[in-house]
Amino acid sequence: TQHSGLRTQDSALAMADPRPVGLFDSGVGGLSVLREVGVLLPREDVLYLADTAWCPYGQRSVEEICQRSLQVGRWLLARGAKALVVACNTASAAALDTLRAQLEVPVVGMEPAVKPAAALTRSGRIGVLATPRTAESERLARLIQRYAREARVFVQECAELVPLIEQGELGGPRLEAALGRYLEPLLAQQVDVVVLGCTHYPLVQARIQALCGPEVQVVNPAPAVARQLARVLDQHGLRAPDTQPSQVDWWTTGSPAQLGQLLAALGHPGRPSQAAV
Ligand code: DGL
């Protein structure tokens, strides 16, 4: 009826939510996720927190990462976030269950792309690049067990990559040498798929692809995370209004000037503010 038609329209309007999505990482890694969110959900405002003072997460204990993620999540909620994206594999592996239990907004996290890799591999040999903490996480072990039983999965921890990228080393000889060291053992195992198991790594994906060669598929899970965020926003009626001109608010627990420089080098000009978390 006309009446119910009207009601539908009213509730659709009422369901638009202009509040920002909160997104955090230990540093600039979340940018690889933010880019995909911008493509798929161009109307959403984002509060981006780079927890640079605590970077790298990947060398800390699970307990420490968990507590810190909760603190950061609460900080973003206090600034009006309607949903939280944990744009960090290490924090997701350590803290996702806790964040979901403790925070009153929907939480979307990262997952190393083991499932898509298992579907892509022809040789049955998959490489995963990750931070030390993610590499040894139960979450990764469970994913491999669940989705890649038929394949051989080689997990390479890459302790130096996050610090190098945070220092702005995006293509120089130090990055190249580190990537070479991490990729060599995987290529020696003749993997034909390499999973980027840390959100910083897609920022240097072109270098990784060049070192792997054209036969190897390099998989970035960020587009899937953006799709998951879209689904979750829809489920909870949290999408931004169609007319919203979106913006990103940049925050860091480290040096705003340094983050500003790094963002510019990564093609994302922004003027970060100092966050006391
Ligand atoms: N981008 C984070 C991740 O996805 C890096 C963690 C770290 O700071 O070591 O794991």
Side-chain angles (χ1 to χ4, degrees), residues 144-173:
I144 293 171
Q145 178 76 357
R146 181 146 169 220
Y147 295 116
R149 246 177 226 264
E150 320 273 277
R152 290 200 63 191
V153 182
F154 304 91
V155 181
Q156 176 67 50
E157 59 168 73
C158 313
E160 286 167 67
L161 286 188
V162 169
L164 281 172
I165 292 168
E166 287 293 322
Q167 285 160 30
E169 183 75 29
L170 301 171

Side-chain angles (χ1 to χ4, degrees), residues 25-26 55-58 88-90 131 162 198-200:
D25 176 48
S26 61
C55 189
Y57 282 179
C88 174
N89 291 78
T90 310
T131 67
V162 169
C198 165
T199 53
H200 279 74

Side-chain angles (χ1 to χ4, degrees), residues 8 10-18 233-240:
T8 314
D10 281 347
S11 62
L13 278 178
M15 271 158 66
D17 190 325
L233 291 180
D234 284 340
Q235 272 163 18
H236 292 84
L238 290 174
R239 281 254 197 167

